[in-house]
Amino acid sequence: MVVGVLALQGSFNEHIAVLKRLGVKNVQIRKPEQLQNVTSLIIPGGESTTMAKLAEYHNLFPALREFVKMGKPVWGTCAGLIFLANKATGQKNGGQELTGGLDCTVHRNFFGSQIQSFETELPIPEIAAKEGGPPSCRAVFIRAPAIIEVGPDVKVLADIPVSSAVTANSSPAIQSEEELTKSEKKVIVAVKQGNLLATAFHPELTADTRWHSYFLKMEPETEDGTSAIASTSSVDLTFTGRAMIDLPIFQ
Ligand code: GLN
């Protein structure tokens, strides 16, 4: 297993640090041909417009789309989630290119601007059931997107009440009580659809490695939706608790 990490901009080094701690081989991806040598891919957080411009400059989009289509596991965190979404709102003028594949609509800056970034304890029933450990994880949202619509094949792994985070920050994304009711006062912040995993927050910035090990256990999907060979047999990904000490929580 060799995990590629898109290394154009953003928090790719932080993902690589976690992979190293887990003893997983990794390659920084900056050119399309490098994707041929990896079994899965992480698209990190950062600034999705800048990242998309760099990806375009390096002619990466066709290879990224092909990689997604081949059914290889891909995980997008934050800006990476925006990359994977079939549809994004709140983009800069002129929009930006997306890799697509994930049947959802994402709002690019749902939680507001940079200073409205926040951290929260996020319930993660599916991850805790599969990986063990506590029923929630510390989740860091940095000028974070949120998923406002999902297709039928998308499995929701985590959602968050918007009243506490968004209305307190008076985000421009939520303008009326009616809109809040429509979204049942919750927005989706983590999903899985076949070979695709996406999180609106940054697991690579905390000591909890369960999102990484969950991703590393994901198997490639074949055309008919069944999974192909398991790829993690040589890596021990058992959750060993919070081995590293986290920084204090910023409220
Ligand atoms: N909202 C940001 C964007 O549009 C993403 C923020 C992040 O990746 N931390 O790119």
Side-chain angles (χ1 to χ4, degrees), residues 10-224:
S11 63
F12 57 90
N13 273 322
E14 288 76 1
H15 273 293
I16 290 168
V18 180
L19 295 173
K20 280 187 183 159
R21 266 168 50 212
L22 293 171
V24 178
K25 272 199 216 146
N26 60 83
V27 174
Q28 297 188 17
I29 304 292
R30 295 196 177 85
K31 293 178 182 161
E33 57 271 23
Q34 292 172 315
L35 281 169
Q36 287 164 10
N37 307 322
V38 297
T39 41
S40 59
L41 176 72
I42 296 177
I43 306 178
E47 215 289 320
S48 59
T49 317
T50 310
M51 222 187 279
K53 279 187 184 150
L54 289 167
E56 222 177 307
Y57 179 80
H58 291 285
N59 192 29
L60 268 155
F61 276 109
L64 286 171
R65 291 195 186 109
E66 187 55 31
F67 196 89
V68 169
K69 263 206 213 117
M70 281 193 307
K72 297 195 181 180
V74 181
W75 177 18
T77 55
C78 207
L81 150 67
I82 301 170
F83 253 61
L84 287 180
N86 279 347
K87 204 172 149 203
T89 61
Q91 290 164 289
K92 285 198 179 135
N93 281 348
Q96 70 202 55
E97 222 175 318
L98 303 172
T99 300
L102 187 59
D103 187 12
C104 73
T105 304
V106 77
H107 189 296
R108 229 189 110 220
N109 293 323
F110 182 85
F111 294 100
S113 67
Q114 197 74 17
I115 53 163
Q116 285 150 345
S117 301
F118 63 97
E119 297 186 13
T120 190
E121 232 5 79
L122 183 71
I124 45 164
E126 159 91 8
I127 303 299
K130 292 249 162 73
E131 300 298 320
S136 62
C137 72
R138 180 184 173 190
V140 182
F141 290 82
I142 305 173
R143 196 161 64 98
I147 298 164
I148 48 179
E149 233 169 45
V150 288
D153 296 333
V154 177
K155 185 173 181 181
V156 175
L157 299 181
D159 54 19
I160 175 171
V162 281
S163 49
S164 50
V166 176
T167 48
N169 289 333
S170 51
S171 163
I174 291 276
Q175 270 141 19
S176 65
E177 196 51 36
E178 195 192 340
E179 269 184 81
L180 281 176
T181 322
K182 223 173 12 182
S183 62
E184 290 173 319
K185 302 196 178 190
K186 274 189 167 190
V187 281
I188 298 163
V189 291
V191 291
K192 182 178 182 298
Q193 178 199 314
N195 58 314
L196 304 178
L197 177 67
T199 50
F201 49 94
H202 288 262
E204 78 286 6
L205 299 183
T206 60
D208 192 332
T209 54
R210 286 178 293 171
W211 283 99
H212 284 81
S213 48
Y214 180 83
F215 172 64
L216 295 167
K217 285 176 197 137
M218 278 172 50
E219 291 167 9
E221 297 249 324
T222 56
E223 294 259 307
D224 60 7

